[in-house]
Structure formats: structure tokens, C-alpha cells
Amino acid sequence: MVSTSRLGRRGLLIAGAGLLAGCSTSSAQKPSSSPAPNSPATTTPASTTAPTGSSPSSTPSATRSTASPTLPAVRSWTPGAGEIQPEVKRIAIAATVDLLRRPGTRSVVEVIDAQYGGILADSASVLVPCRVYTIAGGRLTSGGTTVDVRLTKTRGSWRVTATHPAQPGAAVSRLSTAARQVLASDRITLPPASAADIRSGQVHDSVLTAMLELAKIYRIGISVIRTGHPLYVFGTNRPSDHPRGRAFDTWQIDGHPVVAPTTSRSLVTSYMRAAAAAGSYNVGGPYQLSGATYFSDNTHHDHIHAGFQT
């Protein structure tokens, strides 16, 4: 089991770690990090980003000055009240940091969120979107990825069996109007891999226009769009809408985590209904609403899923 003794609250600070966005583990003793068959396989790593309130950049960000660069301060992250199987998330976060570690550099890893891609009695997928800041060669570089961490439970203990970093693909030269508007919005917060998904041109406009509609009412924190998510609905052989660029997950609404018991039920359910009104045919969340459009299960107790048919 990966040690979690240095985990804090709402992010993870690791000195001496480095970024391997879209990388694989280098040690034979580490769990497998192959992107197939659990996450979309593309040819380039997740985008890099600067920590702003708007959408992250899709290209490496580095600064050089006469003064020695310093690492930004980040908040720590740990599962709070309302979590199902919090130990699973603790183990997944530790595995993610270990995956992103590169000896010989100074860096800090910020865990944005940790949500379930699936949670069953003896198997789980935890999706961990991260930002990573590294100082090397006198430069501060920012980047990040989302890691799909797979775990199994044997003899009462959870262990990591594989890690699958997001690989969004190269940015395209032309984006739709909706894509540009989402990337520019100060009411939609995107983790690095999700911003890169949009810049790759592989996210449907139905998803993007729905985000823009929701952002008229709410400030939304996106956790996963296309890459970094399992290819199939966890525990089934049904293809997920995420890898096809037809879904997005929301972990935070108006600054309130969906999973937090202090977040009002009315805020969450109103957002779920608004997602359906924006065109989603398949809205999942912590509460079961009436109608065939909505569903709820343990996997979606910590985020709201919105899927689109076209």
C-alpha cells in the first residue's frame, strides 16, 4: 500500500517531485501505467497550464528572471466528510504523486480534486486531476495531467494495480467559437487535461455550449472531460461518453464541492436540472431525481456527470 502519511487538506505538496504529464512509471515495481484499455490512448501528453482563475494554457509556461524562481504555495487535499471509501482516494493520491515524481528537480504537485471513475465492492477507479509546478534550469514551469488510478481490494486491503495518465493529443490550429469561449471564460475552471481536451478539437460543441449555458448561472469547476476517464462505464462493457468528447464532470458549483455535506442539496439538484435543460440526456449525481434523464449511484456521489448524444 502506498503511504499517505504526508497528505493534508485540499491539495498535495511534494518537494523534489517532477512532472511526467502523460508519462508512465519507470520502476518495474510500480503499477502499470499503460493508457489502454482503461483510458483514451492518444499520442501526446496532457497540456501544461498556469494557475489562473480562467482556463489553463495548452502550452508549457515558463518564466525566467534575474531572481531565483520560487515554487507557488498550494493547498493540500484530503478526503473530507461525505466521502464513500475515503481510504481508496488517499491511496490513489499517493500513487499519483509517486507517478509524477522526477528525482533531481524541485516541484510541487497540486491535487485539484479526486473523484470516482467507478467504485465497486472490490475494484475502483479514482480520477485525479493535478497541476504540477517545477523549477529546473532556472525556470519555473507549470503543467499537469489527470491520472486514472485503478485499485483492487484483496483480503480487506486496497492496492493500486495501474495508473493511466491522460493523453489529450495535440492542439489544433482552429477551434470552434464555443471552444474559444469556454477556454476564455472566468466562470469555468478547467484542469490542465480538460483544457487540452478542448484545444485538441475533440470535444463536441454540445458539451461546450452546455458549459457556457451553465456558466451563465453558476461558477463551475470541471474535473474531467474526455481524457483521464475510463473508456467504459466502470464495471461494464458499455462505452462511456467521455472518451468520445460527449460528456463532462463537475466537481464544484459556486465554490462548493458536490461531495461536501455542507453543500446545499438544492444547489446540486438545481444544477443537475440545469444540465438537462442545457441538452444532457444523461445526468448523474448524488441525488436521484425523477425522470429517465437522471441517475444516481456511489460513483456519482462526489460529482455531477452530464452526457450528450451528439
Side-chain angles (χ1 to χ4, degrees), residues 2-264:
V2 184
S3 171
T4 59
S5 60
R6 288 185 289 177
L7 289 178
R9 179 179 179 79
R10 200 122 204 108
L12 191 52
L13 180 63
I14 298 295
L19 170 63
L20 294 176
C23 67
S24 62
T25 50
S26 58
S27 170
Q29 297 180 359
K30 294 181 180 180
S32 166
S33 62
S34 168
N38 301 292
S39 58
T42 54
T43 58
T44 60
S47 68
T48 55
T49 177
T52 64
S54 59
S55 303
S57 168
S58 64
T59 56
S61 172
T63 58
R64 181 185 290 276
S65 66
T66 55
S68 177
T70 59
L71 292 169
V74 299
R75 293 178 297 173
S76 58
W77 192 98
T78 191
E83 294 281 1
I84 293 175
Q85 299 273 13
E87 182 65 14
V88 176
K89 290 190 177 182
R90 292 190 188 98
I91 296 169
I93 290 169
T96 297
V97 171
D98 187 54
L99 177 68
L100 300 180
R101 183 173 295 147
R102 176 179 289 174
T105 62
R106 296 161 52 204
S107 69
V108 61
V109 179
E110 179 187 14
V111 173
I112 299 167
D113 184 43
Q115 75 166 54
Y116 283 120
I119 179 71
L120 302 175
D122 58 1
S123 61
S125 160
V126 180
L127 313 182
V128 188
C130 298
R131 296 187 183 97
V132 184
Y133 309 100
T134 303
I135 294 175
R139 291 175 179 251
L140 173 63
T141 303
S142 59
T145 190
T146 295
V147 181
D148 175 8
V149 183
R150 296 304 177 93
L151 306 95
T152 59
K153 187 177 184 180
T154 56
R155 294 187 290 277
S157 297
W158 288 93
R159 65 182 182 88
V160 173
T161 56
T163 52
H164 303 284
Q167 296 183 327
V172 297
S173 59
R174 288 191 176 186
L175 291 172
S176 69
T177 298
R180 294 194 302 271
Q181 290 176 341
V182 169
L183 290 168
S185 175
D186 61 1
R187 295 179 61 84
I188 303 172
T189 302
L190 299 165
S194 293
D197 286 337
I198 296 174
R199 290 189 169 92
S200 75
Q202 299 181 73
V203 178
H204 285 246
D205 268 7
S206 57
V207 168
L208 301 169
T209 55
M211 286 185 188
L212 293 169
E213 285 300 309
L214 289 165
K216 293 177 181 178
I217 308 170
Y218 310 94
R219 289 178 293 109
I220 59 177
I222 302 300
S223 49
V224 178
I225 299 180
R226 193 180 74 86
T227 57
H229 191 280
L231 287 175
Y232 300 94
V233 176
F234 194 74
T236 78
N237 58 3
R238 289 184 288 115
S240 168
D241 285 323
H242 283 277
R244 295 179 287 179
R246 294 180 179 177
F248 67 94
D249 290 345
T250 304
W251 77 274
Q252 189 181 68
I253 309 166
D254 288 340
H256 301 285
V258 171
V259 72
T262 54
T263 300
S264 72

Side-chain angles (χ1 to χ4, degrees), residues 288-310:
Q288 180 63 59
L289 306 184
S290 61
T293 298
Y294 306 101
F295 69 95
S296 181
D297 55 26
N298 283 348
T299 296
H300 294 84
H301 80 284
D302 59 4
H303 67 279
I304 295 170
H305 165 89
F308 297 81
Q309 291 180 314
T310 57

